[in-house]
Amino acid sequence: MAKKDFELTWKEIPVGSIVHEPGNASEYQTGDWRSQMPVLDKAKCVKCGICYRFCPEPCIVKDDEGYYVADLFYCKGCGICAYECPKDAITIVKEEH
Amino acid sequence: MAKRVGAEGSFAVAEAVRLADTDVVAAYPITPQTHIVERLSEMVADGELKANFIYVESEHSAMSACLGSAAVGARTFTSTAGQGLELMHEVLYLASSMRLPIVMAVADRALSGPLNVWGDHSDAMATRECGWIQYFGENAQEVFDLTLCAFKIAEHHDVLFPVMVHMDGFHVSHVVEPYLLPDKEELGDFLPPIDYPYPLDPNKPITMGAFAPPAVYSECRKAQDVAVNSTHGTIENVWNEFAKRFGRQYKPIETHKTEDAETILVSIGSFNQMAGVAVDKLRSEGKKVGLVRIRLWRPFPLQAFRQAVKSAKNVVVFERSMTYGGTVGPVCAEVKSALYGIKDAPRIMDFIGGLGGRDMSPKQFEALFKRAQEIFDKNLDIQYETIGVRE
């Protein structure tokens, strides 16, 4: 979507409200639903990518150094990455809004 | 060449579905619609119709299968009645909001309880806000013609809405009548192959039926409302094209002796044929009465309706659906809403009858006119009466 959903007028709604752009869910801010967030300890991380594979949404991305980090605009803070991390490199911390 | 054949309204619908080269039929049998899907199942088994017949376990599944079928761009038909239509209810809204051109024949039936399999409009009226285009055929010929037209309307790129073709359970579905059945050649290119513009395709992925939060849901709803209201022109164009080719004209609002009528009866469905007999008799006695038959029910043809009743001082509604705790029945509510506030608005009275398969004779329609006159003359504060019941 070129425009954010709250900017669309009714005339811009596609027929049948069909979404024509695959994978555009990550452009929708669900980060503000979160009450807790993943924090990565790079000292412990071995860049195995298990968190990336287990994340149920496409919100973990590889950064320039090869670490897998969560996109906090999209991450809902479910904690699966922390649960699956074999090195306990990810901790889930409470977030204040 | 068209053949004059004798058949039930149900079989006439099945013939229209066959001639339309329907790709998928997903349906569950229920009285009084059963003969439609039975006949279609037979046609598929005998190779007369090269369609996939999906035998589902419920009407909810039938409509769900239709969603999938229409979403890949297949010409899709189903049929139901009464409780079956109610079981489909939540999926009906998905078909219209996802703009899937499904055609469904409904042999209108009473709703339980008490259990009753006979005809009335309880089921139709309960689904009137589900976003489908809905119209009524009054005999075998009409339901044949209107089912054929339904595919052309639903699949038209300016429409892309599902269409319900209503027919009175038993009074149309089970009555053997003569009708003209055209052959494939005569049909010609009236109904071109379906060309659904947004078919599901792994090479061009799309999402249908996605979620819409408060930030955009209202916009989606308004877009759908505007779209369904803009289908009037195409519906009429298709019916006009049908008339040119086959000589039978359908209109959103049909009138009978209304030009100078002071009292106009407004009704929906096959009982209009009895009402017409009563109107003719009263006319022969010098009474200025007329009949307005609502054919297109959704989207409601507001201007055509206002035009049709403009001479009337009194409007009398007859409808086959009870209101429970409402001010009037659903058809009369529509009529009142359509006429409220216009200049010289007529007085309006509602009669509810013909419930659960009970007949209405021309004599009873005459009595209905008389009773309405009495109510108007005495200025009684009565919104509706249930007629034809033992007191």
Side-chain angles (χ1 to χ4, degrees), chain B residues 242-262:
Chain B
F242 184 88
K244 263 190 209 142
R245 289 190 185 225
F246 302 99
R248 292 181 294 276
Q249 178 75 58
Y250 296 100
K251 291 181 189 161
I253 297 291
E254 313 260 8
T255 57
H256 179 64
K257 301 189 175 170
T258 51
E259 290 74 27
D260 61 339
E262 287 175 7

Side-chain angles (χ1 to χ4, degrees), chain B residues 203-237:
Chain B
N203 295 317
K204 205 183 160 201
I206 57 169
T207 301
M208 286 180 173
F211 123 123
V216 75
Y217 181 83
S218 301
E219 281 70 21
C220 296
R221 277 306 191 219
K222 170 148 182 172
Q224 186 184 336
D225 179 50
V226 171
V228 78
N229 278 314
S230 70
T231 61
H232 283 288
T234 310
I235 295 169
E236 284 183 61
N237 287 345

Side-chain angles (χ1 to χ4, degrees), chain A residues 5-11 13-24 28 33, chain B residues 97-99 160 196 198 205-211 213 215-216 219-220 222-223 226:
Chain A
D5 59 357
F6 53 81
E7 294 170 335
L8 287 173
T9 70
W10 68 267
K11 289 177 188 164
I13 301 292
V15 171
S17 306
I18 289 173
V19 180
H20 290 272
E21 192 186 336
N24 73 350
Y28 182 65
W33 300 4
Chain B
S97 62
M98 287 158 71
R99 308 285 299 272
L160 295 178
Y196 179 64
Y198 316 107
I206 57 169
T207 301
M208 286 180 173
F211 123 123
V216 75
E219 281 70 21
C220 296
K222 170 148 182 172
V226 171

Side-chain angles (χ1 to χ4, degrees), chain A residues 9-78:
Chain A
T9 70
W10 68 267
K11 289 177 188 164
E12 294 167 314
I13 301 292
V15 171
S17 306
I18 289 173
V19 180
H20 290 272
E21 192 186 336
N24 73 350
S26 59
E27 291 168 29
Y28 182 65
Q29 186 174 7
T30 49
D32 55 1
W33 300 4
R34 206 170 51 229
S35 61
Q36 51 179 21
M37 63 187 280
V39 176
L40 177 67
D41 180 352
K42 288 186 178 172
K44 289 185 184 169
C45 177
V46 294
K47 304 179 181 175
C48 67
I50 285 177
C51 56
Y52 167 80
R53 284 174 184 81
F54 275 89
C55 175
E57 297 275 12
C59 75
I60 294 185
V61 286
K62 208 173 183 175
D63 72 5
D64 295 341
E65 298 170 71
Y67 291 106
Y68 291 89
V69 292
D71 170 8
L72 293 177
F73 176 82
Y74 188 47
C75 169
K76 301 183 192 73
C78 70

Side-chain angles (χ1 to χ4, degrees), chain B residues 271 318-319 322 350-361 363-365 367-368 371 384-391:
Chain B
F271 282 26
F318 169 74
E319 58 183 310
M322 183 52 87
D350 190 21
F351 291 97
I352 294 171
L355 301 178
R358 184 160 294 184
D359 281 320
M360 278 284 288
S361 66
K363 269 207 160 56
Q364 285 171 297
F365 275 106
L368 179 153
R371 174 63 184 149
Y384 70 93
E385 276 186 356
T386 310
I387 53 165
V389 290
R390 291 178 294 277
E391 296 291 342

